[in-house]
């Protein structure tokens, strides 16, 4: 039996598909020329040219802070499908080189694409075998141009990236959004974290007299505190996250961890649990 409705005969014409089944890649040869003209199918597989209109599977905040010995970053392991906490073991911190880590909020598939681009670039540099590798500032500028190029084509990568690293003893922490706008700071937070966690990070930096007065242990506690606040207040976050430490000794990305939380206060909130 032929299960493809447009092959069943009437009602059907060469100009109208009453069953709304086009385009189907396996039936490209049967797409009427008039339908092709109207729909503007520009590819050989019969599908129209399309751009991502909105992210589908997304990750939320990425945090970063400079401290005396290097850079510390944090991101949870949740990838949400809309409002559904669908994928709970996604690593959003990725080691690019021995001294560089990238973290991503936004669309996970676009992040996977960028990881592929960066890994291909690293392989190219390795194959050159000239004793040089791309440093964190070089990768940052490359990623900046990639994001701005896609934005200029009206087909952006739906991410905000945080890049942390160490180069020639200097700490580096920068972010790039989907419009290709770059900025660097002693503390960075994306997503909901830019509203909830960034004030915490900036206050800690100010009260402690700058990043040179923050130890590694202090940086860990500050990020854990910030991740706890995000878990309380951000509906797309999860109490399972990783920390990335970047120093002149290399990169260390922790196993997933969690923090202790307290929800007893919520029992006095009207509507809680209803």
């Amino acid at each position: 039996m032929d299960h493809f409705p447009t092959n069943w005969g009437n009602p059907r014409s060469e100009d109208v598909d009453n069953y709304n089944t086009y385009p189907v890649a396996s039936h490209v040869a049967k797409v009427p020329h008039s339908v092709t003209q109207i729909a503007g199918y520009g590819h050989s597989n019969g599908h129209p040219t399309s751009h991502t209109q909105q992210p589908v599977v997304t990750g939320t905040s990425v945090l970063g802070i400079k401290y005396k010995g290097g850079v510390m970053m944090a991101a949870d392991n949740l990838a949400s499908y809309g409002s559904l906490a669908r994928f709970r073991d996604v690593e959003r911190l990725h080691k690019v080189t021995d001294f560089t880590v990238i973290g991503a909020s936004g669309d996970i598939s676009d992040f996977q694409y960028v990881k592929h681009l960066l890994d291909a670039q690293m392989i190219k540099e390795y194959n050159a075998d000239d004793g040089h590798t791309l440093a964190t500032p070089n990768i940052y500028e490359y990623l900046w141009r990639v994001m701005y190029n896609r934005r200029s084509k009206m087909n952006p990568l739906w991410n905000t990236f945080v890049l942390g690293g160490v180069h020639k003893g200097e700490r580096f922490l920068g972010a790039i959004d989907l419009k290709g706008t770059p900025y660097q700071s002693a503390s960075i937070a994306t997503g909901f974290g830019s509203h909830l966690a960034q004030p915490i990070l900036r206050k800690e930096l100010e009260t402690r007299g700058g990043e040179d007065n923050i130890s590694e242990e202090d940086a860990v506690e500050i990020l854990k505190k910030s991740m706890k606040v995000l878990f309380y207040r951000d509906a797309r976050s999860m109490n399972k996250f990783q920390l990335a430490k970047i120093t002149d000794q290399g990169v260390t990305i922790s196993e997933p961890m969690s923090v202790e939380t307290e929800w007893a206060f919520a029992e006095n909130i009207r509507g809680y649990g209803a």
Side-chain angles (χ1 to χ4, degrees):
M1 178 180 176
D2 187 350
H3 295 282
F4 194 63
T6 52
N7 293 337
W8 293 352
N10 293 327
R12 180 175 182 269
S13 74
E14 290 300 309
D15 294 316
V16 179
D17 176 19
N18 293 323
Y19 297 101
N20 196 29
T21 53
Y22 288 126
V24 176
S26 60
H27 292 75
V28 174
K30 299 179 182 179
V31 178
H33 176 70
S34 55
V35 174
T36 304
Q37 292 288 325
I38 294 170
Y41 299 144
H43 296 294
S44 59
N45 63 3
H47 290 277
T49 302
S50 61
H51 295 163
T52 302
Q53 299 301 307
Q54 62 182 15
V56 179
V57 179
T58 60
T60 184
S61 309
V62 177
L63 310 182
I65 189 171
K66 292 180 181 179
Y67 67 96
K68 187 175 182 179
V71 176
M72 191 81 67
M73 296 170 59
D76 67 25
N77 296 103
L78 179 65
S80 302
Y81 181 71
S83 60
L84 174 67
R86 178 63 181 86
F87 303 102
R88 298 168 178 261
D89 198 25
V90 176
E91 295 185 0
R92 297 192 292 120
L93 298 175
H94 175 65
K95 178 182 175 182
V96 183
T97 69
D98 290 338
F99 303 99
T100 306
V101 170
I102 184 174
S105 59
D107 192 83
I108 299 299
S109 62
D110 283 347
F111 178 42
Q112 292 171 335
Y113 170 72
V114 168
K115 285 196 296 183
H116 172 75
L117 288 181
L118 293 175
D119 290 343
Q121 199 68 28
M122 294 304 107
I123 293 172
K124 182 179 178 180
E125 288 292 318
Y126 177 80
N127 290 339
D129 197 22
D130 57 1
H132 297 280
T133 57
L134 292 180
T136 306
N138 307 133
I139 298 169
Y140 183 73
E141 292 203 14
Y142 169 76
L143 192 58
W144 172 16
R145 303 323 301 167
V146 168
M147 297 296 285
Y148 188 80
N149 176 264
R150 288 292 297 265
R151 168 261 190 191
S152 299
K153 293 179 178 179
M154 300 299 175
N155 185 21
L157 296 169
W158 291 78
N159 298 102
T160 298
F161 294 111
V162 177
L163 203 69
V166 175
H167 176 54
K168 295 182 178 179
E170 295 292 326
R171 296 158 295 183
F172 185 96
L173 183 62
I176 307 169
D177 66 13
L178 82 166
K179 297 178 182 178
T181 304
Y183 64 95
Q184 300 175 36
S185 179
S187 66
I188 283 178
T190 68
F192 233 89
S194 62
H195 303 285
L196 300 176
Q198 185 69 288
I200 298 174
L201 301 178
R202 287 175 175 169
K203 181 178 179 180
E204 293 288 350
L205 285 167
E206 182 179 349
T207 56
R208 297 171 187 265
E211 60 263 30
D212 291 328
N213 296 319
I214 296 178
S215 66
E216 179 180 326
E217 293 76 17
D218 292 336
V220 170
E221 289 305 313
I222 292 170
L223 289 183
K224 284 184 176 181
K225 176 183 177 181
S226 301
M227 295 302 290
K228 179 189 287 189
V229 170
L230 287 174
F231 178 58
Y232 280 141
R233 304 296 296 173
D234 184 0
R236 303 294 171 264
S237 65
M238 182 174 66
N239 192 16
K240 179 184 177 184
F241 59 90
Q242 291 176 283
L243 297 178
K245 178 179 71 172
I246 311 105
T247 67
D248 56 6
Q249 302 300 312
V251 168
T252 302
I253 299 179
S254 72
E255 293 297 317
M257 65 181 72
S258 59
V259 292
E260 292 186 8
T261 57
E262 173 60 56
W263 294 94
F265 65 87
E267 294 178 1
N268 297 321
I269 299 176
R270 181 178 299 177
Y272 176 76

